[in-house]
Amino acid sequence: MMQLELRDIEKSFGEKRVLTGISLTAEGGKAFGLLGRNGAGKTTSIRILMDVFPADRGQVLVDGAPINYQSLKIGYLPEERGLYPKKAIADQLVYFAELKGLSRKAAAASVDRWLERLGMAEYRNKRLDTLSKGNQQKIQLITALAHDPDIVILDEPFSGLDPVNAMLLKEVVKEQIQEGKVVLFSSHQMSYIEEFCDRIAILKDGHVALYGDLHEIKRSYSHDRLVVRTQEPERIRAGLGDCCSVLERGELMVRLGDETEKRQMMQRLVEQYDVDEIRVFEPSLNDIFVEYAGDAGKED
């Protein structure tokens, strides 16, 4: 499988240092989450990866060698749409596919396949501005995928999609991963990152604040908290005192003195109270993001 690597990437604009040594590796057949608040350096990193502008220092490597932009294809779904609102949809999709190296015949065939795949064939001769926001997002997705890229970069891909279209996009993304492509996610919707991504990097102020396998990152947290679902939360809170607090969904968080108290506390709760569920607290990606991303600077 292909391996994409950003190695010691640095970038400044004038006196402002935007990236201060970004290093990360994404593998084909897996999704990688590139996270960070506005100003953290995500957009600059993506633009360097796409050769929009060069890094001041560092390398973009594929399988250990400098990336060859002539032979390797990149598909990019930007957060901000960049298509022509007054033009016929199929015409501009074919045009963009030709710009990315396909012959006109191959571009037209690929566009037709994707329009059919995404349930958009009936709109092929419509103007883009006649479509809903969600359907415009699907058309934008076709520009990223019609030329069969090796690397797929998705920036807020689920923005504006209703649940049905979000499910369709999930299927498409999973297909791209199964085909062995490098799929890079950038999103503030942590639930989608958790669903797709094996590895993540959280950027903060131009450097990598956290990087690694998401499951291993979660397992590294101490198991000194329990989450309790119950029909009598007030009684449990009264019995446990300050070590017990209420979470957003009405569940209780019980903090232990240390991990060795876990079994004893579980037994006490089950014996003394009406408990529906007890589980060891595992931080969500949203919890981890808030912890590591911290405050942010200006837009990147």
Side-chain angles (χ1 to χ4, degrees):
M1 290 290 184
M2 179 191 305
Q3 188 174 77
L4 171 69
E5 181 182 0
L6 273 61
R7 182 182 295 175
D8 299 324
I9 300 293
E10 296 183 3
K11 185 67 180 179
S12 297
F13 296 104
E15 298 297 316
K16 181 176 176 56
R17 294 192 71 191
V18 179
L19 301 179
T20 58
I22 298 292
S23 293
L24 54 88
T25 301
E27 298 179 355
K30 297 180 180 179
F32 186 97
L34 183 64
L35 311 176
R37 295 183 65 181
N38 293 331
K42 303 187 307 298
T43 301
T44 301
S45 298
I46 289 172
R47 288 174 178 168
I48 289 172
L49 166 59
M50 294 178 60
D51 201 32
V52 175
F53 46 67
D56 298 334
R57 180 178 179 274
Q59 294 178 292
V60 179
L61 306 172
V62 171
D63 295 334
I67 187 170
N68 184 340
Y69 291 102
Q70 302 303 313
S71 61
L72 189 126
K73 295 176 288 185
I74 297 177
Y76 177 46
L77 174 66
E79 181 178 6
E80 299 297 330
R81 295 179 182 87
L83 299 179
Y84 300 108
K86 306 297 183 183
K87 299 290 186 181
I89 288 167
D91 290 346
Q92 57 181 312
L93 288 177
V94 170
Y95 169 71
F96 282 113
E98 286 184 278
L99 287 181
K100 295 171 183 175
L102 296 188
S103 68
R104 185 166 187 81
K105 182 178 180 181
S110 180
V111 165
D112 284 343
R113 283 197 304 272
W114 276 108
L115 287 170
E116 191 70 35
R117 175 71 177 84
L118 297 178
M120 299 298 294
E122 64 185 286
Y123 302 107
R124 67 184 322 279
N125 296 318
K126 299 286 188 182
R127 293 189 341 189
L128 188 69
D129 60 3
T130 65
L131 302 186
S132 67
K133 184 178 180 181
N135 281 339
Q136 288 185 36
Q137 181 77 339
K138 291 197 287 185
I139 295 301
Q140 187 82 52
L141 177 65
I142 294 175
T143 68
L145 300 178
H147 61 298
D148 192 23
D150 306 291
I151 299 171
V152 180
I153 303 171
L154 304 172
D155 193 351
E156 298 294 352
F158 295 95
S159 175
L161 296 182
D162 60 45
V164 174
N165 279 326
M167 185 67 67
L168 179 59
L169 179 55
K170 285 182 185 181
E171 293 174 2
V172 170
V173 171
K174 289 176 181 177
E175 289 168 3
Q176 298 297 302
I177 294 170
Q178 290 167 358
E179 289 175 12
K181 299 179 180 182
V182 173
V183 178
L184 187 67
F185 271 92
S186 178
S187 179
H188 291 112
Q189 295 175 287
M190 298 298 153
S191 60
Y192 291 119
I193 299 295
E194 283 197 276
E195 181 173 352
F196 285 107
C197 297
D198 299 285
R199 298 178 68 81
I200 63 164
I202 296 178
L203 305 189
K204 179 182 178 182
D205 299 330
H207 69 275
V208 178
L210 180 68
Y211 168 68
D213 181 277
L214 181 54
H215 299 294
E216 292 179 2
I217 290 170
K218 287 186 174 185
R219 283 197 297 268
S220 71
Y221 279 73
S222 175
H223 294 168
D224 61 354
R225 287 173 284 180
L226 300 177
V227 177
V228 181
R229 185 163 54 86
T230 177
Q231 299 300 316
E232 47 180 15
E234 294 304 323
R235 182 165 171 254
I236 294 178
R237 290 188 68 195
L240 297 185
D242 292 341
C243 73
C244 185
S245 59
V246 181
L247 299 175
E248 288 182 3
R249 294 182 296 179
E251 296 174 321
L252 299 180
M253 173 78 80
V254 179
R255 295 182 179 272
L256 308 174
D258 60 63
E259 292 185 31
T260 61
E261 300 177 8
K262 180 173 58 178
R263 185 185 298 273
Q264 181 181 355
M265 177 59 76
M266 285 181 168
Q267 183 174 352
R268 175 185 172 186
L269 288 166
V270 170
E271 290 177 351
Q272 296 183 10
Y273 305 100
D274 181 9
V275 172
D276 297 322
E277 179 187 6
I278 304 176
R279 66 182 186 276
V280 176
F281 172 76
E282 181 181 83
S284 67
L285 180 55
N286 192 71
D287 298 324
I288 296 168
F289 179 83
V290 170
E291 177 182 349
Y292 281 90
D295 55 2
K298 298 178 181 179
E299 296 285 331
D300 62 349

